[in-house]
Structure formats: structure tokens, C-alpha cells
Amino acid sequence: MVASAYASESQPADELNAQSAYWRQSVEGELQAIQKDVLALSILALPILGLTWLAIALPNDLVPLTAISRPVLVLFFGALGAYYLRRRSTVAASWLVVAAMIIALGNMVAPGTSSITITAGILIVVASNALLTPMASLATTMVMAASITLTRHLVFGGLPWWIGFDSLLLY
């Protein structure tokens, strides 16, 4: 009698745990499907972003063609690598997309810092949040701010150490 009373009381808790596990798996499956769709769009968007950068930077005669073409090549090969890597690991392909965007941004900032170029980093933060986790997005933000600060110091030299805080606050 005690065992049957215990079984009837524990059954609703077991059902609740089963339902909770089902909903968690369902939500995780939906999020993974959305991340795969965003990854596919990101792979398509990277070469388009590179060509957009090329169209904006080409009329500028002060920047050499090699400096203009580096971000385009990084974005193109990043998209190509992510396209082939996505079948094996969505997470690795997503990290490759984000890394290609960070490297391309660093190469865009190197010839001459402009507010539009640095503001383009917001796209990277949004993409990393959509493709990965919020903590990965935070890590991406920190890496971008550090790389932009380092690039500014290497190219322009003599800048104060706190100059990277503006991009960190923006992102």
C-alpha cells in the first residue's frame, strides 16, 4: 500500500521531467536548425560583403590595391572553407565565418581607420551571436576590440593605450 501511494505521487514528477526534457530537446533542435540557416546565409553573404568593400574602396586612390584586395580574399576563402566544413561541423564552420570576418575587418582598418569601417564590426557581433552562443559573441567582441586596437597601434603608432575602448564600447 505504501509502495503504490509512492508510485502514484512520483509519476507526475516523472512525467514533468519527461515533458521538460522533450521541450528542451525540441527547442535545442529548433535553435540548431535556425543556426544552420543563418550559417548558409552567412556563407553566401561573405563574398557579397567583400565585393561591397571592393566597390567602396576602389575609388580611393590613396589605398593600394593589395590592401583593398586582402579583405576580399579573406572573406571569399573563409566562405569557401565554411561551405565545405559545414557538413562536418556547424560550430566549426560558424567559427570560421566569424574568424574570417574579424581578420577581414583588421585588414580593412589597416590602410586607414574610418568610422564606417570600425562600425562594420557590429555585423560581426550580430553574426557571432546568431551563429554561436552569447558567450562566444562576448569573446568575439573582446577579440575584435583588441585586434582593432593592435592594428591602430601598428599602423599609426604612438596612440594611447586606451584608444581601443571606443570600439569596445561600440560593440
Side-chain angles (χ1 to χ4, degrees), residues 19 24 34 52 55 60 62 66 82-83 111 118 122 124 128 145-146 155:
Q19 287 176 350
R24 188 175 319 125
I34 290 170
T52 303
N60 187 355
L62 300 175
T66 55
Y83 176 77
I118 293 174
I122 293 173
I124 302 170
S128 67
V155 172

Side-chain angles (χ1 to χ4, degrees), residues 53-113:
W53 163 252
L54 193 63
I56 292 170
L58 269 180
N60 187 355
D61 293 333
L62 300 175
V63 180
L65 185 59
T66 55
I68 293 173
S69 61
R70 263 185 254 135
V72 177
L73 292 174
V74 167
L75 291 172
F76 176 76
F77 285 117
L80 191 63
Y83 176 77
Y84 288 111
L85 188 61
R86 71 182 164 84
R87 292 194 176 127
R88 291 187 185 181
S89 172
T90 304
V91 174
S94 298
W95 275 111
L96 182 60
V97 165
V98 171
M101 291 174 78
I102 292 172
I103 293 168
L105 181 67
N107 283 310
M108 289 176 192
V109 170
T113 305

Side-chain angles (χ1 to χ4, degrees), residues 16-168:
L16 220 86
N17 287 337
Q19 287 176 350
S20 174
Y22 170 76
W23 287 110
R24 188 175 319 125
Q25 288 174 352
S26 176
V27 168
E28 287 174 358
E30 287 292 323
L31 284 175
Q32 288 174 355
I34 290 170
Q35 286 175 333
K36 286 182 181 180
D37 291 343
V38 170
L39 177 63
L41 287 173
S42 298
I43 290 170
L44 179 64
L46 285 184
I48 294 170
L49 288 173
L51 291 174
T52 303
W53 163 252
L54 193 63
I56 292 170
L58 269 180
N60 187 355
D61 293 333
L62 300 175
V63 180
L65 185 59
T66 55
I68 293 173
S69 61
R70 263 185 254 135
V72 177
L73 292 174
V74 167
L75 291 172
F76 176 76
F77 285 117
L80 191 63
Y83 176 77
Y84 288 111
L85 188 61
R86 71 182 164 84
R87 292 194 176 127
R88 291 187 185 181
S89 172
T90 304
V91 174
S94 298
W95 275 111
L96 182 60
V97 165
V98 171
M101 291 174 78
I102 292 172
I103 293 168
L105 181 67
N107 283 310
M108 289 176 192
V109 170
T113 305
S114 73
S115 59
I116 294 173
T117 306
I118 293 174
T119 306
I122 293 173
L123 291 173
I124 302 170
V125 174
V126 170
S128 67
N129 198 16
L131 291 170
L132 301 163
T133 63
M135 289 305 290
S137 181
L138 180 63
T140 300
T141 302
M142 298 301 205
V143 167
M144 276 192 330
S147 69
I148 287 175
T149 302
L150 182 65
T151 302
R152 285 175 167 176
H153 281 286
L154 291 176
V155 172
F156 302 111
L159 294 174
W161 62 270
W162 48 267
I163 200 72
F165 284 128
D166 61 345
S167 58
L168 181 63

